[in-house]
Amino acid sequence: MEATFAAFSKFGDSKSTGKELDNKKLSKLCKDTGIMGKLVTSTDVDICFSKHKPKGGRTITMKEFKALLEDLSVKRFPKLSPEERKAAMEKLVSDKGPQTAGTTKTAKGGATGRLTDTSKYTGSHKERFGEDGKGKGLEGRADLADNSGYVGNYKGADTFDGTH
């Protein structure tokens, strides 16, 4: 249970120590572990969080988290005894981590497909991509100096024989 608490408290926050959990991360924990469902709603989780956090604080510690889970277990498993509730809640929470699969999906609708099709680009935008559709990077954006002595896009470059 401690590993799950630490994983969710560090999720998306590189400065987190893993010892405190805020309301947003608690909601994610409840969704990802299956605590939230028909019997336990996000409102129930928010109310329990407010009840267990210190006055004026924004986060809960592991000790407060365990007490919060006990309160939620009453709603989540109403027909079980207190010992069975605690065991069932620990089974739900133990050794789980934040899920990221399916959180944001790439849009594949009509306009997005047309706007991102590099084969239909024209003008200076067309020069930024190769034939395979991959970007050329700096080479496609920067005006590279051509010190050949000819005007840009001159078709007869290097045809002067130099005898005259």
Side-chain angles (χ1 to χ4, degrees), residues 15-32:
K15 297 174 188 147
S16 176
T17 60
K19 297 184 190 305
E20 293 182 329
L21 197 66
D22 64 4
N23 194 14
K24 181 180 175 185
K25 292 176 184 168
L26 176 70
S27 290
K28 179 160 181 57
L29 183 147
C30 290
K31 283 179 194 159
D32 290 356

Side-chain angles (χ1 to χ4, degrees), residues 98-137:
Q99 297 174 353
T100 55
T103 51
T104 54
K105 294 180 175 80
T106 307
K108 295 183 180 173
T112 307
R114 287 193 310 276
L115 292 171
T116 56
D117 185 4
T118 57
S119 66
K120 294 182 178 155
Y121 287 178
T122 59
S124 62
H125 304 291
K126 187 177 190 176
E127 295 171 12
R128 293 182 57 198
F129 298 91
E131 289 79 34
D132 59 350
K134 298 233 188 270
K136 292 182 181 176

Side-chain angles (χ1 to χ4, degrees), residues 40-90:
V40 178
T41 63
S42 61
T43 307
D44 296 327
V45 173
D46 291 341
I47 290 169
C48 271
F49 181 82
S50 296
K51 189 163 87 173
H52 289 280
K53 73 176 176 67
K55 197 167 198 168
R58 292 178 173 220
T59 58
I60 58 172
T61 62
M62 186 65 192
K63 179 181 162 192
E64 294 153 347
F65 175 66
K66 286 181 179 178
L68 182 138
L69 285 182
E70 279 186 40
D71 280 1
L72 287 177
S73 69
V74 174
K75 281 197 80 108
R76 179 70 167 85
F77 305 106
K79 295 179 181 171
L80 299 179
S81 69
E83 294 83 26
E84 291 172 325
R85 274 191 220 133
K86 187 175 181 180
M89 195 60 95
E90 283 183 11

